[in-house]
């Protein structure tokens, strides 16, 4: 009696769905009293689940919730690839308030620029768990006549080639 083991590996490139791998073994001998038992077949079912698409997110925070006119208003934007897998072609866009403010980059992880009142960053591919932090600032102008304060606020958007939770 001899035992032969065969191991097969499925391709990670298979489309989603269920596949059955079947293999038949045959043995032959010069003299065989029972040739009907010379082959045997076994099957293994392989399930290929639909992979979850990667997710990217952005969190924008103000470095200080209250400043005095003439001081810098700084905002920090943290882009994160939440997985699973790699987020591809990650872009960060932020239309900055255009109320006479001159915006500039404080921290640039690479791939970012400000043109007028538009921040644009191209981070390429980010592996699951990777982050990029961008900091921007503008000097707060004087308060409008008759007003004790005003608010600088805006929203940033991050997108990727595929995103499980866009928006």
């Amino acid at each position: 009696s001899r035992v032969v083991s065969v191991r097969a590996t499925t391709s990670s490139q298979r489309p989603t769905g269920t596949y059955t791998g079947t293999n038949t073994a045959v043995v032959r001998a010069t003299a065989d009293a029972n040739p009907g038992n010379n082959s045997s077949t076994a099957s293994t079912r392989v399930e290929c689940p639909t992979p979850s698409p990667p997710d990217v997110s952005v969190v924008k925070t103000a470095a200080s919730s209250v400043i005095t006119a003439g001081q810098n208003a700084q905002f920090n934007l943290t882009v994160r690839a939440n997985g699973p897998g790699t987020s591809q072609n990650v872009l960060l866009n932020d239309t900055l308030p255009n109320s006479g403010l001159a915006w500039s980059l404080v921290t640039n992880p690479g791939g970012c620029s400000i043109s007028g009142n538009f921040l644009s960053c191209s981070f390429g591919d980010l592996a699951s768990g990777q982050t990029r932090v961008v900091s921007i600032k503008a000097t707060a102008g004087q308060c409008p006549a008759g007003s004790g304060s005003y608010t600088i606020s805006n929203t940033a958007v991050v997108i990727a080639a595929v995103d499980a939770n866009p928006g």
Side-chain angles (χ1 to χ4, degrees):
S1 159
R2 299 279 192 253
V3 175
V4 177
S5 296
V6 177
R7 181 183 305 187
T9 304
T10 60
S11 168
S12 62
Q13 302 301 315
R14 295 288 300 228
T16 59
T18 302
Y19 302 90
T20 301
T22 303
N23 188 329
T24 301
V26 178
V27 64
R28 292 193 175 92
T30 305
D32 190 343
N34 184 4
N37 66 0
N38 288 5
S39 69
S40 180
T41 301
S43 298
T44 299
R45 187 172 114 163
V46 178
E47 295 180 353
C48 302
T50 303
S52 298
D55 176 46
V56 291
S57 63
V58 61
V59 174
K60 185 173 192 174
T61 58
S64 179
S65 61
V66 177
I67 61 170
T68 302
Q71 289 183 320
N72 286 331
Q74 181 171 323
F75 296 90
N76 303 309
L77 298 95
T78 302
V79 174
R80 179 178 169 81
N82 298 314
T86 298
S87 294
Q88 298 177 333
N89 302 319
V90 177
L91 303 173
L92 172 67
N93 295 316
D94 190 356
T95 301
L96 305 166
N98 190 15
S99 53
L101 301 172
W103 291 93
S104 62
L105 286 161
V106 176
T107 304
N108 183 352
C112 296
S113 63
I114 294 177
S115 178
N117 69 321
F118 189 74
L119 168 67
S120 176
C121 298
S122 178
F123 299 126
D125 296 349
L126 296 180
S128 179
Q130 279 190 308
T131 60
R132 296 290 183 268
V133 178
V134 179
S135 296
I136 56 174
K137 71 175 181 177
T139 302
Q142 298 302 314
C143 292
S147 172
S149 68
Y150 67 98
T151 301
I152 301 172
S153 64
N154 77 307
T155 302
V157 177
V158 66
I159 59 174
V162 176
D163 188 356
N165 297 303

